[in-house]
Amino acid sequence: MTAPVAGAATLQPEAPGAARRAASSAISAAASDDELLQRIGESDETAFALLVRRHLDRAYALALRILDNPADAEDVVQDVLLKVWTHRGRWEGGRAKFSTWLYRVVTNRCIDLRRQPRSQDLETAPEVPDGAPGAETQLHRTEVVNALEGAMGQLPDHQRVVLILSYHENLSNAEIAEVMQTTVSAVESLLKRGRQQLRKLLRSQERSIRQSLTAD
């Protein structure tokens, strides 16, 4: 899933002036993240726009999978990326990949947000089936998907995150360890416990899932 166009449009820094914009226009789209961050440290808005376009979609997809709320996911990613601009000049190249740092900060913000007391957002509540042909079958499929998502939602935050990073983002255990600032063995343990807990939760819902699939 890609981030809304409106979200990307809001992630633009204040114009630093016509002269600087003209000077920055020569930057290559193939420039590395560190090169872009160096230019951003010099208030180069073109470099910032390139960095945002390069990482916005994946950061949004990660936040959405953790939060399961489009508005909250967009808010988190916008806040994190805008801080790249407002704190420009502080990045130290060579210490960590920007993408690793971005995943780490987005993940931590999402976990913090999930731990806050929240009421259900009416805009994200599931719609009632309209009774049209095929609606019942679609409802059954939706129930299966909801069962999986519900089980994922019941996992402890760190187990949920490592499963998302592993299966959805295709990160290696070493990359996940770097994102979560832990060891590879700790990641392996979280993955093992997360899979076991997920299977346990799904088994507890197996009867209702089977009934929904075989219902007349």
Side-chain angles (χ1 to χ4, degrees), residues 22-167:
S24 68
S25 61
I27 191 169
S28 169
S32 69
D33 287 347
D34 278 346
E35 289 172 325
L36 293 178
L37 287 161
Q38 182 178 358
R39 298 286 290 265
I40 291 169
E42 301 168 358
S43 297
D44 187 327
E45 67 175 72
T46 301
F48 177 64
L50 282 172
L51 192 75
V52 167
R53 286 198 294 271
R54 183 176 294 175
H55 294 283
L56 178 61
D57 286 352
R58 291 193 68 180
Y60 175 78
L62 173 62
L64 183 61
R65 289 188 181 105
I66 297 174
L67 295 172
D68 196 27
N69 183 300
D72 286 347
E74 187 175 354
D75 287 345
V76 165
V77 174
Q78 286 189 10
D79 180 61
V80 171
L81 287 173
L82 282 172
K83 278 181 168 52
V84 174
W85 178 257
T86 57
H87 295 164
R88 59 191 181 276
R90 299 184 187 179
W91 180 262
E92 298 181 21
R95 294 187 60 185
K97 290 173 58 179
F98 175 75
S99 58
T100 300
W101 174 88
L102 180 62
Y103 271 37
R104 180 186 305 147
V105 177
V106 168
T107 295
N108 289 338
R109 294 287 178 86
C110 290
I111 289 175
D112 289 343
L113 191 58
R114 276 175 56 84
R115 290 174 176 172
Q116 295 177 8
R118 302 179 64 79
S119 57
Q120 184 180 25
D121 186 346
L122 292 179
E123 293 184 358
T124 62
E127 296 182 0
V128 177
D130 59 8
E136 186 175 358
T137 299
Q138 182 61 42
L139 176 59
H140 295 159
R141 292 175 182 171
T142 300
E143 288 174 348
V144 175
V145 173
N146 288 344
L148 178 58
E149 291 298 324
M152 283 286 289
Q154 293 179 59
L155 294 176
D157 286 328
H158 286 87
Q159 291 179 19
R160 174 183 172 89
V161 167
V162 296
L163 288 173
I164 290 171
L165 292 175
S166 178
Y167 292 119

Side-chain angles (χ1 to χ4, degrees), residues 155 158-167 171-174 176 184-199:
L155 294 176
H158 286 87
Q159 291 179 19
R160 174 183 172 89
V161 167
V162 296
L163 288 173
I164 290 171
L165 292 175
S166 178
Y167 292 119
L171 298 188
S172 68
N173 289 355
I176 296 172
V184 172
S185 61
V187 170
E188 291 171 347
S189 178
L190 284 167
L191 282 170
K192 180 179 179 180
R193 297 202 306 272
R195 293 186 190 111
Q196 290 173 340
Q197 183 67 10
L198 191 59
R199 284 195 294 268

